[in-house]
Amino acid sequence: MASSNWSAPLADDLGPTGAAAAPLVLIVEDNRDNLSLMMDYLSNKGFAVRAAHNGYQALELIPLLRPAAVLMDIQMPGIDGLEVTRRLRAMPDLARLPIIAVTALAMSGDRERCLAAGASAYVSKPVSFASWPSC
Ligand code: MN
């Protein structure tokens, strides 16, 4: 990873202030540039957005924040997104949480591995926001 001294807060709330009804999306992503792109896009779409920079932060924040949906990077140092997804699914309260796996691997079998780990859906990087449903 390029920047070893990244000192962003644990969870950036870039959502519109005062928009209490904005659904919260939590993005789990270790790459600063990817995270920035996704946070900008989703906050411009009116979502409240928070970030976890690795799997451990994700496992701390998701049960606390109860986001409406999670974008889960798969390739991360420490525990990867597949393992984070498995651990979240083992929490009864989070069995139905929408988890969208995001991976750069795009290899045959990735989709199946993500879904088998408990992901609700799968997209491959680079994420093409043009193909996302408008909301
Ligand atoms: Mn990554």
Side-chain angles (χ1 to χ4, degrees):
M1 174 161 174
S3 63
S4 57
N5 61 346
W6 183 22
S7 59
L10 181 66
D12 297 328
D13 186 354
L14 299 184
T17 55
L24 174 65
V25 177
L26 191 132
I27 303 174
V28 187
E29 171 62 69
D30 66 303
N31 180 278
R32 182 181 185 169
D33 293 334
N34 289 341
L35 178 60
S36 234
L37 177 74
M38 291 192 284
M39 291 185 88
D40 287 351
Y41 179 84
L42 291 172
S43 55
N44 286 338
K45 285 288 186 183
F47 291 97
V49 184
R50 288 187 178 228
H53 302 143
N54 58 56
Y56 299 104
Q57 288 182 359
L59 289 169
E60 287 180 10
L61 288 175
I62 290 167
L64 290 174
L65 298 176
R66 309 305 300 263
V70 171
L71 284 178
M72 180 71 68
D73 184 29
I74 297 303
Q75 290 185 293
M76 296 186 290
I79 48 176
D80 69 14
L82 293 174
E83 180 61 22
V84 176
T85 299
R86 286 186 203 104
R87 293 189 192 184
L88 292 171
R89 287 299 186 225
M91 302 175 190
D93 288 358
L94 300 179
R96 299 168 66 89
L97 171 71
I99 300 174
I100 301 160
V102 181
T103 177
L105 297 175
M107 288 163 50
S108 172
D110 269 5
R111 180 176 178 279
E112 289 69 25
R113 287 195 307 139
C114 292
L115 298 181
S120 317
Y122 164 93
V123 295
S124 56
K125 294 179 188 174
V127 174
S128 170
F129 288 115
S131 67
W132 285 36
S134 57
C135 44

